[in-house]
Amino acid sequence: MGKNIRLQRLANDYAISRLAPTDALPDWADGPGFVSICRNVDELSILCEQQRVPEGVTADREWTALRFLGPFAFGETGIVLSVIQPLSEAGLGVFVVSTYDGDHLLLKTTDMPRGTALLTRAGHSVLPV
């Protein structure tokens, strides 16, 4: 692929929650760590540190977040593909969130040892918390 990306593991486990599309933003959604909030006609999705998500909320838990360390030009191509391709080809599910300044990759926490090995083999670096 030619792109060697450094990824920084973030502290704590993350959860991806699904609320109704008309729900108000809950107080627990914002706080420390990486947060992503997205609303469309079907749902309100909230990605945040898992310990903030109350029991009873529909959520997929036990994700580990990795932050792409740049800088990268806004229109630079192939950055995300170079990271997700070896994971996808090995059958690992990924969740990717892009922001204005960068990208974040989430892997199931149980997949992190294998994912780290695959990323390293592909020429990327996974830095500890």
Side-chain angles (χ1 to χ4, degrees), residues 9-126:
R9 184 175 178 158
L10 303 184
N12 302 317
D13 281 340
Y14 282 78
I16 304 151
S17 303
R18 184 185 192 283
L19 287 78
T22 56
D23 283 353
L25 294 179
D27 290 339
W28 54 261
D30 199 12
F34 180 57
V35 174
S36 179
I37 300 171
C38 184
R39 183 189 307 270
N40 64 33
V41 299
D42 299 317
E43 66 182 301
L44 169 62
S45 287
I46 301 171
L47 167 70
C48 67
E49 290 186 354
Q50 140 177 316
Q51 70 262 18
R52 288 205 305 271
V53 180
E55 290 299 319
V57 171
T58 300
D60 194 334
R61 300 169 188 269
E62 304 295 326
W63 290 87
T64 297
L66 301 168
R67 183 172 68 92
F68 288 55
L69 299 177
F72 306 108
F74 192 76
E76 191 170 349
T77 62
I79 302 298
V80 173
L81 178 61
S82 71
V83 172
I84 65 170
Q85 188 167 15
L87 301 171
S88 181
E89 288 175 351
L92 296 184
V94 300
F95 188 82
V96 178
V97 178
S98 294
T99 67
Y100 186 90
D101 285 329
D103 302 292
H104 292 75
L105 166 76
L106 290 98
L107 285 172
K108 290 300 276 186
T109 301
T110 56
D111 289 336
M112 274 303 296
R114 185 169 174 224
T116 299
L118 289 164
L119 290 168
T120 301
R121 197 170 323 136
H124 306 300
S125 303
V126 179

